[in-house]
């Protein structure tokens, strides 16, 4: 398969890159830091199954460059995984700083729109799009501010996209990975013991199963 994954430098995105490569698939990935992607590529013995590029998904020109870069190398995509995201602050709406709000919506929501819009022409019939959501995007999560609102947006975006792509046989999922041992989770819960959480590799296992099963489009939660 030919797979595009945003935010592949660490956390869940990195586990996805490693897993797809291990299974013999081709991956094109990005993150803001091209250095961290290069380090990952070195760890993967400079495999020719991974292509990477520095990109800010929330910047439309950067997002377009990245997708064109992937298309140049892979021609078509079987899978698009919109994984990149940022947390912002845990703060009340009343006290939420406007600049942080705008940045979180720019990356988590506009970024998914740009990447998906530019990728759709290259998506194969029978393909899959997975948009990373969160429990905070499904039920009220006070003090999760722009992050929660961006993930509610991802739920809605995924539902309407699924309808639009139905005739092209492309499945679309809003996917909640649940609590996972990553930097984002540690930033959100600094007092939590990370060893009590599942590792990102478990989420990667689930995502591969999801892709092979291709259930009807919709909102999906990780389960054991
Ligand atoms: N971990 C959890 O418990 C949990 C729970 C529910 C949902 N999620 C969702 O799962 C996804 C992955 O989370 P994670 O925990 O693995 O996060 P993470 O460890 O913070 O990793 C985020 C990845 O996204 C990249 N990224 C951030 N901003 C970007 C931008 N503007 N453009 C391109 N890449 C960008 C980061 O690299 P750079 O910093 O180099 O850009 C990094 O590779 C997110 O969408 C998150 O909301 C996670």
């Amino acid at each position: 398969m030919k797979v595009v994954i945003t935010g592949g430098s660490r956390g869940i995105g990195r586990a996805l890159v490693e897993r797809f490569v291990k299974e013999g698939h081709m991956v094109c990935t990005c993150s803001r830091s091209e250095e961290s992607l290069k380090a990952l590529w070195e760890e993967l013995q400079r495999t020719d199954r991974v292509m990477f590029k520095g990109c800010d998904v929330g910047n439309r020109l950067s997002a377009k460059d990245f997708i064109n870069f992937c298309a140049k190398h892979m021609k078509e995509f079987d899978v698009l995984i919109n994984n990149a995201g940022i947390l912002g602050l845990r703060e009340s709406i009343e006290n939420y700083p406007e600049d942080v709000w705008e940045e979180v919506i720019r990356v988590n929501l506009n970024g998914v729109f740009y990447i998906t819009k530019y990728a759709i022409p290259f998506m194969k019939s029978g393909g899959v799009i997975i948009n990373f959501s969160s429990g905070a995007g499904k039920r009220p999560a006070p003090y999760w501010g722009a992050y929660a609102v961006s993930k509610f947006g991802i739920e809605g975006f995924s539902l309407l996209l699924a309808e639009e792509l139905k005739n092209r046989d492309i499945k679309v999922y809003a996917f909640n990975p649940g609590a996972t041992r990553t930097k984002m989770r540690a930033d959100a819960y600094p007092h939590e013991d990370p060893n009590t959480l599942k590792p990102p590799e478990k989420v990667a296992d689930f995502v591969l199963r999801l892709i092979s099963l291709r259930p009807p489009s919709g909102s999906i939660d990780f389960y054991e």
Side-chain angles (χ1 to χ4, degrees), residues 2-217:
K2 293 169 177 171
V3 184
V4 176
I5 303 172
T6 64
S9 65
R10 62 168 186 268
I12 298 171
R14 181 186 174 114
L16 285 167
V17 172
E18 290 173 339
R19 184 64 200 277
F20 278 107
V21 167
K22 195 171 148 209
E23 302 277 333
H25 303 297
M26 277 182 80
V27 174
C28 187
T29 191
C30 72
S31 72
R32 288 167 301 184
S33 157
E34 194 166 297
E35 274 307 296
S36 347
L37 294 169
K38 186 154 185 264
L40 168 61
W41 179 64
E42 302 277 359
E43 275 182 46
L44 294 169
Q45 273 84 47
R46 300 175 167 231
T47 171
D48 56 9
R49 290 204 292 280
V50 172
M51 279 129 302
F52 62 90
K53 188 173 173 60
C55 158
D56 173 359
V57 295
N59 176 302
R60 68 175 88 150
L61 292 179
S62 182
K64 196 173 221 167
D65 271 0
F66 169 62
I67 292 299
N68 286 340
F69 168 81
C70 297
K72 194 172 139 208
H73 288 279
M74 306 202 297
K75 295 198 168 48
E76 286 182 312
F77 314 145
D78 297 278
V79 176
L80 166 64
I81 304 182
N82 280 304
N83 160 81
I86 57 173
L87 177 66
L89 286 174
R90 293 189 60 189
E91 184 53 274
S92 65
I93 296 292
E94 186 180 9
N95 295 318
Y96 208 95
E98 290 85 343
D99 55 342
V100 180
W101 181 279
E102 286 165 11
E103 179 64 2
V104 173
I105 298 296
R106 188 184 73 85
V107 173
N108 293 8
L109 201 49
N110 297 357
V112 173
F113 163 61
Y114 297 142
I115 291 288
T116 307
K117 175 185 161 76
Y118 304 138
I120 285 172
F122 304 106
M123 285 298 299
K124 279 204 232 172
S125 171
V128 170
I129 298 178
I130 301 176
N131 299 321
F132 270 65
S133 179
S134 162
K138 290 165 180 270
R139 48 190 174 271
Y143 308 106
W144 279 78
Y147 180 85
V149 171
S150 72
K151 297 302 187 180
F152 267 99
I154 288 301
E155 294 283 329
F157 176 82
S158 304
L159 290 179
L160 80 85
L161 185 66
E163 288 301 315
E164 292 184 7
L165 297 183
K166 214 183 234 169
N167 295 339
R168 291 162 68 171
D169 190 26
I170 296 170
K171 302 275 192 241
V172 182
Y173 307 109
F175 171 58
N176 167 26
T180 308
R181 193 189 307 153
T182 67
K183 179 178 182 308
M184 182 187 285
R185 177 76 191 188
D187 290 345
Y189 295 93
H191 304 299
E192 184 177 63
D193 175 2
N195 295 317
T196 60
L197 303 171
K198 68 178 176 301
E201 289 72 23
K202 282 216 163 194
V203 178
D205 287 349
F206 186 95
V207 167
L208 263 95
R209 271 203 320 277
L210 180 66
I211 292 166
S212 67
L213 292 171
R214 289 183 90 248
S217 294

